[in-house]
Amino acid sequence: MVLSLPTHYFETRISELKDSVGIAQKRKDHSKAAIICYELGHIFLQQGEFEKSESKFTKAIYHAEILRDKAFQIKVKSKLSLLELYRGFVQLSIEKCFEILAFNSDEYSFEAYNYLSWIYLHQGEELKAMNYVAKADVVFDEDEIPFEQKCLLHISKGLMNQHREWYKSALQDNNVVYLASRQSKMPYYEVVSLFEAAKVWKENKVYKETLRLIKDAKDTAKTFGFKFFLVKCMLLEVESLRALGKKEEALTLIQEIRDIAQEKKYHLEMLRVLEIEKELRHELHQVGLIPIIDVEITDIKQKINQLSAEKIKELLKVKEKELKFSLQKNRALLQQLEDLGSLKKIFSHDLKEPLRNIGGYTGKLEKETSQKLNKKESEYFEVIKNATVRMDESLSALLNYLSVGSDQLDYSKATMNQIINKAMDSLHLEEDLDKLQIDYSQCDGMEIECDSDNFYLIFKELISNSIKFAKIGIAPEISIIAQEEPEQYVFQYMDNGIGVEPEYSRRIFELFRRLDRSYEGYGVGLSICKKIIQQHGGTIQMLSQEGKGATFEFTINKV
């Protein structure tokens, strides 16, 4: 049964959006144009119109760049990562996912976690996939999760359960997606849920149920124009028909799939179709049901080779676009670095000099008039002097933040011992060293590649915070764990300090964010940590509860 949306809903919606985006662009309303292009790209993505989808998403990013809206750019890239995954460009999808994670936003990280779980599960890396599903699972409370995110999460859980052969749980997850899609009128997710449920039944060789679900999925996909999943459903139908011995019926269906896949340039699916067709023709010829013609088989082989070449060309085209985009970003970055150099000069000279004058002349004025001042006037002088010192120290802290990573990263190999010892030495902890317990035995001697001149600052700031925010009368205890994964290094830093409430776990990375002003400092240290980690292509998050210490988990990409 098809959802109660008008049959031509998306067709009408696309027409309305195209009219609206034209008006927005004429008025140079970049905010509205970005939103409309994003919605168009999203609809085209669901319909399997990948070239149109990419075009609209690219325009959405263009408008967001003009507005300097980084969050919206990341939102678009989360859909682009799915687009690349559907097109079979897995590495590009992974790269975009890690770019999204580096933005450190729960909303967009959620999608990246799910997509990465699908990728790694397909590649047979179950532990990695399970880790990303677990990360996605804690982003939203079960009672508050939006419908689309609920569908994504249970698709991931269903795939994981199917991989583990926990078929009953997989079907339950697919049913959650189906019910959510019906309730929220999202036919795309209805098709996906039916398709995934059909895969489970096929895995269990219950072909009658597989074909029933595929029929429902195909009906909805045809009604709303979801060509990509229509092709996937039809391929699953072909495999089920073959298993039932209905090979002539399967071959007839193959012709229909070929037409759609070829028109829409679904290269991976087209390759699969051609391979199946070749196998079916041989099988049917062996039982005398069709004559085999060498030319037909040769033609199929040529098409497979041609399609492989086209896929390589398309990949090169995508890489060329990525390279051009990177060059544009590099030019923009060079300009930013020049601006940053000017800004640092302003902070270190043009702003600090007037402060020094204010401090100096205030001191002289106080000295010359000290005998004539009453108590209240003396207090005014103290306020001015203290404010001047705080302003000077704040500028120094900001200058320190701007200086970190302002040059190109200089990667080299270093052991965790060297990095942690360098952090300890820079803190000058001679007096407090006996009271401090640091355990990094689990990564003792481990070698990593990083910009060690900056990377050690992460541990310097974290250790400094552990000492500063230790519980009264309890010596700080710190545990550091690091492990190497195929594409990144993963770190965990834990202490036994006062901790913070979970609701502040993201805000503490904001520049000049201080949760308790009774402690010394300017709220720059954790911002520096986040900046260094992001420059290494990684992410950082804090898990904490007030009174129970803090745990920082962060990653950096391998070069």
Side-chain angles (χ1 to χ4, degrees):
M1 185 176 66
V2 177
L3 277 168
S4 58
L5 283 175
T7 306
H8 301 291
Y9 172 78
F10 288 110
E11 192 177 314
T12 306
R13 185 63 182 148
I14 289 168
S15 178
E16 291 171 351
L17 290 170
K18 283 182 176 179
D19 291 340
S20 298
V21 77
I23 295 168
Q25 287 172 342
K26 282 180 183 177
R27 294 175 178 173
K28 294 188 177 180
D29 186 345
H30 295 291
S31 178
K32 190 171 182 180
I35 293 167
I36 296 170
C37 286
Y38 170 80
E39 188 177 345
L40 279 168
H42 194 191
I43 293 172
F44 286 136
L45 175 60
Q46 292 183 345
Q47 293 192 326
E49 300 283 355
F50 296 151
E51 289 185 354
K52 291 180 181 179
S53 178
E54 183 183 31
S55 173
K56 294 304 176 186
F57 284 143
T58 303
K59 286 178 181 176
I61 289 176
Y62 165 77
H63 291 295
E65 283 178 338
I66 291 174
L67 297 167
R68 296 186 178 181
D69 188 343
K70 181 67 175 174
F72 196 83
Q73 292 175 52
I74 293 296
K75 180 178 181 177
V76 179
K77 286 178 182 179
S78 69
K79 298 303 178 191
L80 276 170
S81 64
L82 181 60
L83 171 62
E84 301 298 5
L85 185 57
Y86 281 171
R87 293 163 85 177
F89 300 142
V90 176
Q91 192 53 45
L92 288 178
S93 182
I94 291 173
E95 288 170 11
K96 282 186 169 58
C97 283
F98 282 122
E99 187 179 350
I100 293 159
L101 294 180
F103 188 65
N104 216 26
S105 161
D106 282 346
E107 182 183 354
Y108 307 126
S109 293
F110 175 83
E111 292 194 29
Y113 290 147
N114 282 285
Y115 302 153
L116 286 168
S117 75
W118 302 353
I119 291 167
Y120 289 124
L121 198 59
H122 183 70
Q123 293 178 346
E125 298 188 55
E126 185 180 328
L127 287 176
K128 265 191 177 183
M130 187 167 59
N131 179 45
Y132 283 116
V133 173
K135 286 183 176 182
D137 201 14
V138 298
V139 172
F140 295 101
D141 293 331
E142 185 63 32
D143 297 334
E144 298 176 2
I145 185 168
F147 280 115
E148 185 170 3
Q149 281 73 13
K150 187 174 187 176
C151 289
L152 268 179
L153 180 60
H154 282 278
I155 287 169
S156 301
K157 288 183 175 181
L159 288 168
M160 179 63 71
N161 286 325
Q162 186 180 347
H163 179 78
R164 292 170 165 177
E165 298 183 359
W166 297 352
Y167 296 121
K168 187 176 179 181
S169 297
L171 288 172
Q172 287 171 348
D173 284 310
N174 289 322
N175 193 48
V176 170
V177 179
Y178 179 79
L179 293 174
S181 68
R182 302 284 300 180
Q183 190 176 349
S184 56
K185 294 186 179 180
M186 294 189 297
Y188 173 74
Y189 286 105
E190 180 186 341
V191 173
V192 176
S193 68
L194 291 168
F195 171 73
E196 293 298 339
K199 279 169 57 183
V200 175
W201 287 112
K202 178 184 171 292
E203 196 77 20
N204 285 273
K205 300 181 180 179
V206 185
Y207 299 114
K208 187 176 179 181
E209 183 63 15
T210 302
L211 292 170
R212 184 189 71 80
L213 291 168
I214 285 297
K215 181 182 181 304
D216 289 347
K218 282 171 59 181
D219 286 346
T220 305
K222 286 177 180 176
T223 299
F224 295 104
F226 302 144
K227 294 288 180 67
F228 181 65
F229 264 93
L230 176 61
V231 165
K232 290 176 79 71
C233 287
M234 292 167 79
L235 278 169
L236 191 59
E237 185 179 5
V238 165
E239 291 170 2
S240 299
L241 290 171
R242 284 181 77 184
L244 290 169
K246 300 179 180 181
K247 295 179 182 179
E248 288 178 285
E249 194 176 333
L251 186 59
T252 302
L253 190 58
I254 280 287
Q255 309 296 331
E256 191 179 341
I257 301 172
R258 271 177 66 171
D259 292 341
I260 302 171
Q262 195 163 358
E263 179 197 349
K264 300 300 178 185
K265 296 183 180 178
Y266 302 154
H267 287 164
L268 289 180
E269 288 67 33
M270 188 65 180
L271 285 168
R272 180 68 187 134
V273 165
L274 291 171
E275 289 288 356
I276 292 173
E277 183 179 359
K278 187 173 72 170
E279 292 166 8
L280 277 171
R281 286 184 178 277
H282 274 296
E283 290 169 10
L284 289 168
H285 173 67
Q286 285 173 353
V287 294
L289 291 175
I290 63 167
I292 192 74
I293 302 172
D294 289 339
V295 176
E296 287 181 345
I297 297 300
T298 304
D299 182 50
I300 291 171
K301 286 179 179 177
Q302 286 175 348
K303 283 180 178 174
I304 290 173
N305 293 333
Q306 181 186 350
L307 202 57
S308 299
E310 284 179 12
K311 190 171 187 301
I312 292 168
K313 284 179 184 176
E314 187 172 333
L315 181 58
L316 288 172
K317 196 187 296 182
V318 172
K319 283 289 184 185
E320 186 181 357
K321 286 182 183 176
E322 293 272 320
L323 181 60
K324 285 180 180 177
F325 186 63
S326 295
L327 289 171
Q328 289 172 354
K329 286 207 308 190
N330 286 339
R331 282 195 287 268
L333 182 60
L334 286 171
Q335 183 60 50
Q336 287 174 8
L337 289 173
E338 289 178 13
D339 296 343
L340 184 60
S342 303
L343 195 60
K344 285 161 63 178
K345 181 178 179 298
I346 290 169
F347 283 140
S348 58
H349 299 289
D350 299 355
L351 291 180
K352 282 206 164 197
E353 186 179 355
L355 274 178
R356 285 192 290 269
N357 289 338
I358 291 170
Y361 283 110
T362 300
K364 284 182 181 182
L365 187 60
E366 183 185 25
K367 190 175 181 181
E368 290 174 6
T369 60
S370 59
Q371 303 300 322
K372 304 173 186 178
L373 298 175
N374 59 36
K375 185 179 178 182
K376 195 167 188 178
E377 290 168 337
S378 296
E379 288 175 355
Y380 289 158
F381 272 104
E382 280 302 310
V383 170
I384 294 170
K385 285 194 295 182
N386 290 337
T388 305
V389 169
R390 283 200 308 274
M391 186 64 186
D392 183 64
E393 290 176 349
S394 294
L395 284 172
S396 296
L398 183 56
L399 185 61
N400 190 26
Y401 173 79
L402 292 173
S403 298
V404 169
S406 57
D407 297 322
Q408 187 174 354
L409 295 183
D410 183 15
Y411 280 87
S412 61
K413 290 184 177 179
T415 65
M416 286 299 296
N417 309 54
Q418 292 170 330
I419 291 166
I420 294 169
N421 288 334
K422 187 174 181 179
M424 298 279 286
D425 291 343
S426 67
L427 286 167
H428 307 294
L429 297 172
E430 289 82 2
E431 295 179 8
D432 300 316
L433 200 55
D434 294 337
K435 304 173 188 176
L436 184 65
Q437 295 181 43
I438 299 185
D439 175 20
Y440 56 94
S441 56
Q442 293 194 41
C443 55
D444 188 20
M446 177 179 165
E447 193 173 67
I448 66 170
E449 276 192 274
C450 63
D451 182 349
S452 57
D453 287 341
N454 279 316
F455 193 70
Y456 86 93
L457 292 172
I458 297 168
F459 293 97
K460 175 186 175 182
E461 297 296 344
L462 292 177
I463 293 169
S464 175
N465 275 1
S466 295
I467 295 169
K468 186 190 301 182
F469 300 110
K471 294 175 182 175
I472 297 172
I474 300 176
E477 293 180 8
I478 297 166
S479 172
I480 300 171
I481 299 170
Q483 64 184 68
E484 184 176 359
E485 293 189 353
E487 293 165 359
Q488 61 182 2
Y489 300 103
V490 181
F491 304 87
Q492 192 175 60
Y493 177 100
M494 295 166 282
D495 70 24
N496 64 337
I498 61 173
V500 298
E501 289 290 354
E503 62 193 273
Y504 300 115
S505 60
R506 286 180 60 195
R507 294 172 61 192
I508 60 166
F509 295 105
E510 295 173 6
L511 190 60
F512 291 126
R513 173 66 66 183
R514 295 169 64 196
L515 300 182
D516 188 341
R517 295 189 174 271
S518 64
Y519 289 90
E520 292 182 0
Y522 293 92
V524 175
L526 290 178
S527 299
I528 287 174
C529 292
K530 180 180 176 181
K531 184 179 181 183
I532 295 168
I533 288 165
Q534 287 182 337
Q535 286 169 339
H536 282 76
T539 62
I540 182 169
Q541 63 176 341
M542 188 191 76
L543 308 171
S544 176
Q545 285 188 349
E546 192 168 4
K548 295 185 179 180
T551 297
F552 291 87
E553 294 180 348
F554 57 97
T555 63
I556 62 169
N557 286 351
K558 286 185 172 180
V559 290

